[in-house]
C-alpha cells in the first residue's frame, strides 16, 4: 500500500515531541508499504519554526525511508487564537497545490486528530484521490476543550468542532482510537454504528538505548518527568508533593527534574521560585533519543493527570509507555478507567489531584529496597515488550488499513 498519514504534530526521533506516527510508519515500511507523513513545520513542543526562511512553504525529505512532507504554518506561543490560526493554516495548506506537487497518489489516507482540522484535510485529500479515509482519534474533541480548556459546551468553536467530529466519523471507512473505552463516545457522536479499533501508544524498541538498571545509591532519589508542560499534565500536583516532602527536613530524600516545554512552564517555574523549593529543577525539551539517555539517570518517574471525567474513556499517554520501557518505578496520579502502571505492577498509583497521597507514595518508594524498586521496573519493561511494542502495533494498523482498502473509499 501507498499510505498518506496526515498528522500535524508528527516528528522524527531527532526532534522533541511524540513519535507515534514515525514508529508506526517504520513498522509499515518494514512490511513493504510506502508511507508519507504530512506534518507542520512549526514545532508544537518547542514553539520553534523548523523550516529555514530560505526555503519555500513546503519541504520534502526522506527520514529512515519515510517521506516527511512539511508545510509552513504561522507561529503561536500559547493556546490563543493564534494556535487556532495555526491549525487552520495547516489544513488549508495541506490541500494546496504545493503539497499536491510533492505527493504521489496514495492508496489510503489516515488523518490523526487532534487537531481535528488536520483530520478534515486528510478526509478531503482522500476524497480528492478517491481512496479510503481512516480517522485516528488520539483525544476526543471537542470534549477535551470542554474539560481541559474550560469552554462551554455551547461555545461556537465547540459546536463547530462537534459538527466536524460527526462529519468525519460518518465518512471514515475505519476508525482507530488510542483510548480503550472511546468506542461508545464515538458511536454516540457519529449517531450511527461505527467499528473502532483500539491501537494504543507504544514504544519503538529499536530506539531504546541498552538497558541500564538504576544504581543503588544513598538519598536523594532522582525523580524525573519528561513531557509537555500543559494543563493535562498536572505538574502542580507534583510540585505540591515535592513541597510537602521538602518541608519534612533537610536534606530531602528526593530531587525532582522536570524536562520539557509548553504553555504552563513559565508559571510553574515562578511557582517553584516563589515557594523557594530547592529540590525541583527544570530542563528544556530534547529529542526522543536524547530524552531516553537523560531518563536513564532517574531512580523513578512521576506522572499526574487532572481529576477529569474525560478520562472515563481511558488514556494512552506516550511518555508513560516510555517510562515503563526504561524500567524504573512510576508514581502515577490518575482517575482514568485504565491504568497501565497498575496492570504492569510497575509502581504506585494515587488519586488524581491528591498531592498528599503522592507524597506518601514517594515515601513508600524510599522505604523499599533497591531490589523491590528494580522488580517494579522489570514489570514495566515486560509489559511494554508484551503489549506496546510499536512493531506489533504496526501490524494491527496494517490490518485496519488493508481492510479499508479492500472495502473501497467511503
Amino acid at each position: 500500500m501507498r499510505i498518506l498519514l496526515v498528522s500535524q504534530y508528527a516528528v522524527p526521533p531527532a526532534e522533541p515531541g511524540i513519535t507515534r506516527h514515525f514508529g508506526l510508519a517504520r513498522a509499515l515500511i518494514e512490511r513493504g508499504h510506502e508511507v508519507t507523513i504530512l506534518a507542520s513545520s512549526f514545532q508544537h513542543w518547542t514553539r520553534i519554526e523548523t523550516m529555514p526562511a530560505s526555503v519555500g512553504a513546503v519541504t520534502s525529505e526522506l527520514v529512515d525511508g519515510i517521506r516527511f512532507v512539511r508545510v509552513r504554518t504561522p507561529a503561536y506561543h500559547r493556546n490563543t487564537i493564534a494556535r487556532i490560526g495555526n491549525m487552520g493554516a495547516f489544513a488549508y495548506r495541506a490541500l494546496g497545490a504545493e503539497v499536491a506537487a510533492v505527493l504521489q497518489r496514495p492508496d489510503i489516507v489516515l488523518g490523526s486528530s487532534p487537531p481535528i482540522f488536520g483530520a478534515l484535510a486528510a478526509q478531503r485529500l482522500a476524497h480528492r484521490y478517491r481512496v479510503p479515509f481512516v480517522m485516528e482519534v488520539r483525544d476526543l474533541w471537542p470534549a477535551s476543550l470542554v474539560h481541559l480548556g474550560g469552554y462551554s459546551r455551547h461555545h461556537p468553536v465547540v459546536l463547530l468542532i462537534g459538527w466536524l467530529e460527526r462529519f468525519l466519523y460518518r465518512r471514515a471507512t475505519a476508525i482507530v482510537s488510542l483510548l480503550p473505552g472511546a468506542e461508545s463516545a464515538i458511536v454516540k457522536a457519529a449517531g450511527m454504528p461505527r467499528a473502532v479499533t483500539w491501537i494504543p501508544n507504544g514504544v519503538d524498541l529499536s530506539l531504546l538505548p541498552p538497558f541500564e538498571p538504576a544504581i543503588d545509591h544513598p538519598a536523594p532519589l532522582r525523580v524525573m518527568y519528561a513531557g509537555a508542560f500543559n494543563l493535562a499534565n498536572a505538574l502542580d500536583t507534583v510540585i505540591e508533593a515535592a513541597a510537602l516532602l521538602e518541608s519534612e527536613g533537610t536534606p530531602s530524600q528526593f530531587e525532582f527534574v522536570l524536562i520539557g516545554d509548553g504553555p504552563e512552564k513559565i508559571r510553574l517555574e515562578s511557582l517553584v521560585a516563589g515557594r523557594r523549593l530547592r529540590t525541583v529543577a527544570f530542563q528544556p525539551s530534547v529529542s526522543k533519543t536524547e530524552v531516553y539517555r537523560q531518563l536513564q539517570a532517574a531512580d523513578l518517574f512521576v506522572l499526574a493527570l487532572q481529576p477529569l471525567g474525560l478520562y472515563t474513556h481511558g488514556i494512552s499517554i506516550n511518555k508513560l509507555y516510555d517510562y515503563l520501557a526504561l524500567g524504573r518505578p512510576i508514581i502515577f496520579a490518575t482517575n482514568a478507567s485504565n491504568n497501565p502502571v497498575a496492570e504492569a505492577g510497575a509502581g504506585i498509583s494515587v488519586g488524581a489531584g491528591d498531592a498528599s497521597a503522592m507524597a506518601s507514595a514517594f515515601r513508600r518508594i524510599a522505604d523499599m529496597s533497591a531490589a523491590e524498586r528494580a522488580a517494579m521496573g522489570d514489570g514495566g519493561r515486560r509489559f511494554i515488550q508484551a503489549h506496546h511494542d510499536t512493531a506489533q502495533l504496526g501490524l494491527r494498523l496494517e490490518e485496519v488499513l488493508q481492510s479499508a482498502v479492500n472495502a473501497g473509499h467511503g
Side-chain angles (χ1 to χ4, degrees):
M1 286 181 291
R2 184 174 288 160
I3 302 159
L4 174 59
L5 200 165
V6 182
S7 177
Q8 181 170 350
Y9 302 144
V11 295
E15 296 180 22
I18 295 175
T19 56
R20 167 183 173 83
H21 295 121
F22 188 90
L24 291 173
R26 275 169 51 109
L28 290 166
I29 284 175
E30 289 173 2
R31 299 283 296 173
H33 306 289
E34 296 180 30
V35 183
T36 296
I37 295 178
L38 179 58
S40 169
S41 66
F42 185 75
Q43 236 284 355
H44 173 64
W45 309 102
T46 62
R47 306 296 200 264
I48 293 173
E49 174 59 56
T50 62
M51 191 183 294
S54 58
V55 304
V58 177
T59 60
S60 177
E61 62 175 333
L62 276 178
V63 183
D64 288 354
I66 302 164
R67 175 65 60 187
F68 238 91
V69 177
R70 301 203 197 196
V71 299
R72 190 184 300 278
T73 53
Y76 62 90
H77 299 287
R78 298 187 67 83
N79 293 330
T80 62
I81 191 67
R83 184 178 178 191
I84 296 174
N86 173 276
M87 297 174 189
F90 173 76
Y92 175 77
R93 290 172 183 171
L95 297 170
E98 289 177 288
V99 168
V102 299
L103 293 181
Q104 292 182 303
R105 185 183 186 278
D107 297 310
I108 191 165
V109 179
L110 186 152
S112 187
S113 172
I116 205 163
F117 306 108
L120 176 63
Q123 190 275 331
R124 299 318 299 163
L125 286 168
H127 180 75
R128 175 188 296 173
Y129 291 116
R130 300 186 64 79
V131 299
F133 164 63
V134 174
M135 185 171 180
E136 179 187 74
V137 181
R138 301 196 321 277
D139 289 309
L140 292 168
W141 270 33
S144 294
L145 293 179
V146 173
H147 287 274
L148 282 170
Y151 284 78
S152 164
R153 295 183 184 276
H154 305 291
H155 191 284
V157 171
V158 172
L159 294 175
L160 170 63
I161 292 175
W163 182 88
L164 289 174
E165 178 187 45
R166 177 184 174 90
F167 174 86
L168 292 171
Y169 289 164
R170 283 174 163 260
R171 279 158 179 76
T173 304
I175 298 174
V176 169
S177 173
L178 279 68
L179 312 177
E183 183 170 1
S184 60
I186 290 171
V187 169
K188 181 179 178 180
M192 60 186 293
R194 297 270 67 189
V196 180
T197 302
W198 178 49
I199 304 180
N201 274 318
V203 177
D204 186 342
L205 299 180
S206 69
L207 297 178
L208 287 177
F211 175 66
E212 294 182 5
I215 298 173
D216 186 17
H217 61 84
L221 296 175
R222 179 170 293 181
V223 183
M224 283 193 174
Y225 166 88
F229 287 70
N230 56 25
L231 292 173
N233 298 300
L235 288 168
D236 290 83
T237 304
V238 178
I239 290 170
E240 181 59 31
L244 290 171
L245 293 167
E246 193 170 316
S247 68
E248 294 174 354
T250 303
S252 172
Q253 290 181 293
F254 301 93
E255 60 180 11
F256 294 80
V257 180
L258 310 180
I259 304 170
D261 288 293
E264 291 289 293
K265 187 169 186 179
I266 293 175
R267 182 187 66 81
L268 292 167
E269 288 176 326
S270 297
L271 176 63
V272 168
R275 301 191 64 169
R276 299 182 179 179
L277 298 180
R278 300 180 302 277
T279 59
V280 181
F282 293 86
Q283 294 182 8
S285 290
V286 294
S287 69
K288 173 70 77 174
T289 49
E290 173 62 17
V291 81
Y292 283 147
R293 188 189 68 79
Q294 292 194 17
L295 289 176
Q296 284 186 315
D299 296 298
L300 62 153
F301 301 125
V302 65
L303 180 61
L305 300 181
Q306 301 284 0
L308 300 174
L310 178 68
Y311 300 129
T312 58
H313 301 295
I315 56 170
S316 185
I317 302 171
N318 195 68
K319 55 184 160 286
L320 183 56
Y321 299 114
D322 289 336
Y323 293 171
L324 290 162
L326 288 168
R328 304 289 191 271
I330 302 167
I331 305 297
F332 187 28
T334 180
N335 64 348
S337 59
N338 66 314
N339 185 337
V341 173
E343 291 177 52
I348 300 174
S349 300
V350 301
D354 193 338
S356 178
M358 178 176 279
S360 295
F362 281 121
R363 295 186 198 100
R364 286 175 57 192
I365 290 287
D367 289 340
M368 291 179 181
S369 67
E372 288 174 312
R373 291 195 291 268
M376 285 183 167
D378 288 342
R381 293 177 65 227
R382 290 194 300 269
F383 180 78
I384 292 300
Q385 291 166 354
H387 304 291
H388 293 275
D389 179 353
T390 298
Q392 299 172 15
L393 300 176
L395 293 178
R396 202 181 305 176
L397 179 59
E398 180 188 39
E399 291 176 1
V400 173
L401 298 177
Q402 191 64 66
S403 295
V405 168
N406 293 341
H409 70 83

